[in-house]
Amino acid sequence: MALVVQKYGGSSVADAERIKAVAQRIVANKKAGNDVVVVVSAMGDTTDDLIDKAKQVSPLPPVRELDMLLTAGERISMALLAMAIANLGHEARSFTGSQAGVITDGAHGKAKIIDVTPGRIRTALDEGSICIVAGFQGVSQGTKDITTLGRGGSDTTAVALAAALDADVCEIYTDVDGVFTADPRIVPAARQIPRISYEEMLEMAASGAKILHLRCVEYARRYNIPIHVRSSFSQKEGTWVVDSSDIEGKRDQNMEQAIISGVAHDRSEAKITVVGVPDKVGEAASIFTVLSEAEINIDMIVQNVSAASTGRTDISFTLPATDGQTALTALNKVKDRIGFESLRYDDRIGKVSLIGAGMRSHPGVTASFFSAIADAGVNIEMISTSEIRISVVVAQDDIDTAVAAAHRAFDLDAEQVEAVVYGGTGR
Amino acid sequence: MALVVQKYGGSSVADAERIKAVAQRIVANKKAGNDVVVVVSAMGDTTDDLIDKAKQVSPLPPVRELDMLLTAGERISMALLAMAIANLGHEARSFTGSQAGVITDGAHGKAKIIDVTPGRIRTALDEGSICIVAGFQGVSQGTKDITTLGRGGSDTTAVALAAALDADVCEIYTDVDGVFTADPRIVPAARQIPRISYEEMLEMAASGAKILHLRCVEYARRYNIPIHVRSSFSQKEGTWVVDSSDIEGKRDQNMEQAIISGVAHDRSEAKITVVGVPDKVGEAASIFTVLSEAEINIDMIVQNVSAASTGRTDISFTLPATDGQTALTALNKVKDRIGFESLRYDDRIGKVSLIGAGMRSHPGVTASFFSAIADAGVNIEMISTSEIRISVVVAQDDIDTAVAAAHRAFDLDAEQVEAVVYGGTGR
């Protein structure tokens, strides 16, 4: 008998028929002899509808109350799912994040899980019940206020509960079959991959792949919880996200050492160039201190070689486009103190990333990637690399061309493939 | 500075505009120097919508999960109301029933309040915040499950909080101006009455007047909390429900000792006649023991004079029509044991009641009431009386005629009037 944690996203429980279908899947798993804990998101568009309601009464609602409002969404879906399971003759009990022991900090709208104390879930499981838990929500440690976890929150709830309950697997159900070597909407030859390491999945998520959120994969890696990403509309095996040692073992047996897992892309970033920064020690640091104080997450940074004639240089960086205005405002405030000349803002950019643990031992990968993109006629604006990833910034209109070129260059539509991603689960 | 508890029903917060209007009323009260605690129901049709959703997944949803589902309704309305208040520049915090310390028994769907421990509300008030509390809900003492209080639950939450916080007044906002001498839809000359005693209001509520629920008035009487029933759409004074000593005092000053407060009616009952019951000691008792075990609340009872020739008698009683089928089933099971001949069921009946503390000292009231109804050509099927109430059962089609006749006979459209009710707040 195994303990299985399952997570169903909003599209999987969008209406009564889908809720009933999910209930049957859950009951089948219970009948197979497993203990089952289910984490569920709000139904379909519920969250958007609630946000609309909030905007009708206040242009800038207090975050505490926004969290109180939004958590009604999971309350509805989890109660309906428990009812649908009961209608199939099995006992199910629903629990709010607070009741399930999801303890967070007090950062409303983007709370972090501090601890999970699932005493009531354990008791209910011991009594033979299926447990339905509200995703995306918790209760703050000090003030006992209701919090939401922000993007990727339901996936993270599922993995955190799996860790706290020492579950055997955390199944993430979504509306696609698993993780793909590229977004099939861009690369029709993209293939679903059977296994990917936490590290590769983290790079994927950081590179714009939306199927699993960064924090959920980080949590799974820390507690070594196997994640199984699969479709709620089919019985097919999906993609397993596991420790790299489990993959190496399999690969050695099968002689399938793939170099590249997949190609990810991200359209959500913008680029800011700080023009004419005095080329002195500490100038770059002071720029990024200002941005850090404005709570802006910087992704890639490039500092041009200083022009000897002027003693000045340009510094470019990428950031979420949604933070663009905040960053420009923060930088303009310190323009005189830092002494740069001007700011340039460009949100017509995109990022294309090649991910694969195998590239560690294959020095030619970078060159091949750049060649493929250049041969496709795409100009590279910025470059950043990690041990298992190469990312380039290109014009937004060139993203599809660059993704397709890279995918082709590394033979990802061949038989042995190992990863990537598209689609998206909001919370 | 006073502590005011206000309760707004579903129609008062049915949409964004009404929520904003309610927010302004609350802020005005706060600005006047009062501490304000607001109890709010779910928006308009939310509860019905949620029940519809439940029926789509299960014909008979488990009560625990139904409570979990329905409590999402107040969560939405209270968060929106807190946002609307914040938008007017005042701090407001919303609290679920559980957070507000509303402790109940475990009877899902019809839970009773056991205790109210409003520590968090008290703290928030001390910090200058307006408190918004979800009506209709609580948390069960043992299992810590979310419960709902059933009909009249939000009014009862407000009165219970007012008692626990030692509030100066509990204002119940609704869509009518207050308590009327009769339903104005039946009696256009019906008038709003300024003051009514708890006892009279209890008899009103028990007699079918829907503006305040019995349990809420009982709670207010027990803790001597003045209730002010008024319209959320106007600034007019409504009806005060207070201790009878407060009313006697006022009446003596004004020489306005009214005999009758008002006329109430009830269309929701049915009548069952148990025909041919053996006229032996204990037979009636055994019939009502059976009904009690089936958890059916009996209202009026009439036992006919036994026919000497047969040694048998008929026993008639009224009960909520919704319990009719359950009662018939329960009685038919014991037909042979008790030895009655047959059951007759009639749900085409209604009850008309005359209420007034003044009738205690006016023996002619009963006769005048019966005469008025007889003169209107209405046949009386059953009669029951209390110290301050006379009720008769008539054919349902005769209710309006009987109410109008009684109202006229006791000069309730004259200057001095003291009570009743119509309309309805569901929860």
Side-chain angles (χ1 to χ4, degrees), chain B residues 213-277:
Chain B
H213 200 276
L214 199 60
R215 65 196 292 197
C216 144
V217 184
E218 277 173 349
Y219 215 111
R221 178 173 66 163
R222 193 177 320 138
Y223 292 96
N224 198 20
I225 301 294
I227 298 180
H228 187 186
V229 182
R230 56 195 306 196
S231 168
S232 59
F233 304 123
S234 83
Q235 297 291 336
K236 281 196 284 190
E237 278 276 297
T239 298
W240 286 82
V241 185
V242 294
D243 190 75
S244 55
S245 62
D246 296 335
I247 294 181
E248 299 305 328
K250 301 249 177 193
R251 279 172 174 161
D252 287 346
Q253 282 171 13
N254 302 318
M255 305 289 283
E256 288 180 11
Q257 176 71 1
I259 298 170
I260 299 303
S261 306
V263 184
H265 67 276
D266 189 346
R267 298 181 203 274
S268 69
E269 298 201 334
K271 183 174 74 167
I272 290 178
T273 301
V274 188
V275 179
V277 182

Side-chain angles (χ1 to χ4, degrees), chain A residues 178-181 193-205 209 211-212 217 226-227 229 238-244 246-247 251 260-262 355-357 388 417-421:
Chain A
V179 182
F180 280 72
T181 53
I193 57 103
R195 286 178 164 254
I196 185 170
S197 70
Y198 296 125
E199 289 74 18
E200 288 165 306
M201 196 65 228
L202 279 175
E203 293 282 8
M204 288 291 181
I211 201 162
L212 284 180
V217 185
I227 297 179
V229 182
T239 297
W240 286 83
V241 185
V242 293
D243 191 75
S244 56
D246 296 335
I247 295 181
R251 279 171 175 161
I260 299 302
S261 306
I355 289 111
I388 61 172
V417 289
E418 288 293 322
V420 181
V421 166

Side-chain angles (χ1 to χ4, degrees), chain B residues 25-349:
Chain B
R25 185 182 281 269
I26 292 166
V27 166
N29 212 308
K30 173 76 178 167
K31 277 186 178 165
N34 297 316
D35 278 342
V36 186
V37 176
V38 176
V39 173
V40 69
S41 301
M43 294 168 72
D45 300 327
T46 307
T47 303
D48 290 340
D49 291 347
L50 290 172
I51 290 173
D52 282 350
K53 281 197 165 74
K55 290 198 173 143
Q56 285 171 29
V57 298
S58 171
L60 197 68
V63 288
R64 178 191 188 277
E65 299 305 322
L66 198 57
D67 278 358
M68 185 66 95
L69 179 73
L70 295 183
T71 51
E74 288 82 25
R75 176 170 285 240
I76 293 169
S77 58
M78 73 183 189
L80 292 174
L81 184 53
M83 290 174 190
I85 292 170
N87 198 39
L88 298 174
H90 285 259
E91 206 210 327
R93 287 179 228 169
S94 66
F95 297 92
T96 63
S98 171
Q99 291 176 332
V102 180
I103 316 293
T104 73
D105 62 21
H108 287 289
K110 52 181 179 183
K112 287 197 171 51
I113 296 177
I114 293 173
D115 195 9
V116 180
T117 54
R120 292 185 66 173
I121 305 295
R122 180 70 75 187
T123 302
L125 288 174
D126 290 347
E127 291 170 6
S129 191
I130 295 167
C131 295
I132 315 292
V133 178
F136 183 66
Q137 57 177 250
V139 61
S140 68
Q141 192 164 37
T143 55
K144 306 272 185 225
D145 285 322
I146 304 301
T147 54
T148 67
L149 307 181
R151 280 188 64 81
S154 288
D155 290 355
T156 306
T157 302
V159 171
L161 264 175
L165 291 165
D166 198 18
D168 296 279
V169 59
C170 179
E171 298 183 338
I172 306 282
Y173 286 88
T174 179
D175 49 5
V176 295
D177 285 337
V179 182
F180 280 71
T181 53
D183 186 336
R185 288 170 297 189
I186 295 178
V187 183
R191 304 182 63 256
Q192 189 210 318
I193 56 103
R195 285 175 165 258
I196 185 171
S197 69
Y198 295 126
E199 290 73 18
E200 288 165 306
M201 195 67 228
L202 280 174
E203 292 282 9
M204 290 291 181
S207 302
K210 295 187 183 66
I211 201 162
L212 285 180
H213 200 276
L214 199 60
R215 65 196 292 197
C216 144
V217 184
E218 277 173 349
Y219 215 111
R221 178 173 66 163
R222 193 177 320 138
Y223 292 96
N224 198 20
I225 301 294
I227 298 180
H228 187 186
V229 182
R230 56 195 306 196
S231 168
S232 59
F233 304 123
S234 83
Q235 297 291 336
K236 281 196 284 190
E237 278 276 297
T239 298
W240 286 82
V241 185
V242 294
D243 190 75
S244 55
S245 62
D246 296 335
I247 294 181
E248 299 305 328
K250 301 249 177 193
R251 279 172 174 161
D252 287 346
Q253 282 171 13
N254 302 318
M255 305 289 283
E256 288 180 11
Q257 176 71 1
I259 298 170
I260 299 303
S261 306
V263 184
H265 67 276
D266 189 346
R267 298 181 203 274
S268 69
E269 298 201 334
K271 183 174 74 167
I272 290 178
T273 301
V274 188
V275 179
V277 182
D279 194 5
K280 291 184 296 189
V281 175
E283 289 304 321
S286 62
I287 286 173
F288 293 106
T289 302
V290 166
L291 294 169
S292 161
E293 283 167 1
E295 296 197 20
I296 290 162
N297 286 314
I298 302 304
D299 183 14
M300 293 163 67
I301 302 174
V302 172
Q303 177 163 0
N304 291 357
V305 177
S306 175
S309 59
T310 61
R312 287 175 181 270
T313 185
D314 295 346
I315 295 176
S316 296
F317 59 90
T318 61
L319 75 174
T322 47
D323 287 343
Q325 196 52 57
T326 312
L328 292 174
T329 305
L331 286 173
N332 272 322
K333 273 193 198 154
V334 295
K335 186 178 176 192
D336 292 340
R337 176 157 65 79
I338 295 180
F340 63 82
E341 290 166 2
S342 63
L343 296 173
R344 278 207 303 266
Y345 181 72
D346 183 3
D347 60 3
R348 301 286 305 153
I349 60 142

Side-chain angles (χ1 to χ4, degrees), chain A residues 177-338:
Chain A
D177 285 338
V179 182
F180 280 72
T181 53
D183 185 338
R185 286 169 299 191
I186 296 180
V187 183
R191 303 184 63 257
Q192 189 210 319
I193 57 103
R195 286 178 164 254
I196 185 170
S197 70
Y198 296 125
E199 289 74 18
E200 288 165 306
M201 196 65 228
L202 279 175
E203 293 282 8
M204 288 291 181
S207 302
K210 293 186 185 69
I211 201 162
L212 284 180
H213 199 274
L214 199 59
R215 66 195 293 196
C216 143
V217 185
E218 277 173 347
Y219 215 113
R221 178 174 62 164
R222 194 177 320 138
Y223 293 95
N224 198 18
I225 300 293
I227 297 179
H228 187 186
V229 182
R230 57 196 304 197
S231 169
S232 59
F233 306 121
S234 82
Q235 297 291 338
K236 280 197 284 190
E237 278 275 299
T239 297
W240 286 83
V241 185
V242 293
D243 191 75
S244 56
S245 63
D246 296 335
I247 295 181
E248 299 303 330
K250 301 251 174 191
R251 279 171 175 161
D252 286 345
Q253 282 172 14
N254 302 319
M255 304 290 282
E256 289 178 11
Q257 177 74 0
I259 298 171
I260 299 302
S261 306
V263 184
H265 68 278
D266 189 348
R267 298 180 203 274
S268 69
E269 297 202 335
K271 182 173 75 166
I272 290 178
T273 301
V274 188
V275 179
V277 181
D279 195 5
K280 291 184 298 191
V281 174
E283 290 303 323
S286 61
I287 287 173
F288 293 106
T289 303
V290 166
L291 294 169
S292 161
E293 283 167 2
E295 297 196 18
I296 289 162
N297 287 315
I298 302 304
D299 183 15
M300 292 163 67
I301 303 173
V302 171
Q303 177 164 0
N304 292 356
V305 176
S306 174
S309 57
T310 61
R312 287 175 181 270
T313 185
D314 297 345
I315 295 177
S316 296
F317 60 90
T318 61
L319 75 175
T322 50
D323 287 342
Q325 196 52 57
T326 311
L328 292 174
T329 305
L331 286 172
N332 272 322
K333 272 194 199 151
V334 295
K335 187 179 176 193
D336 292 340
R337 175 158 66 77
I338 296 181

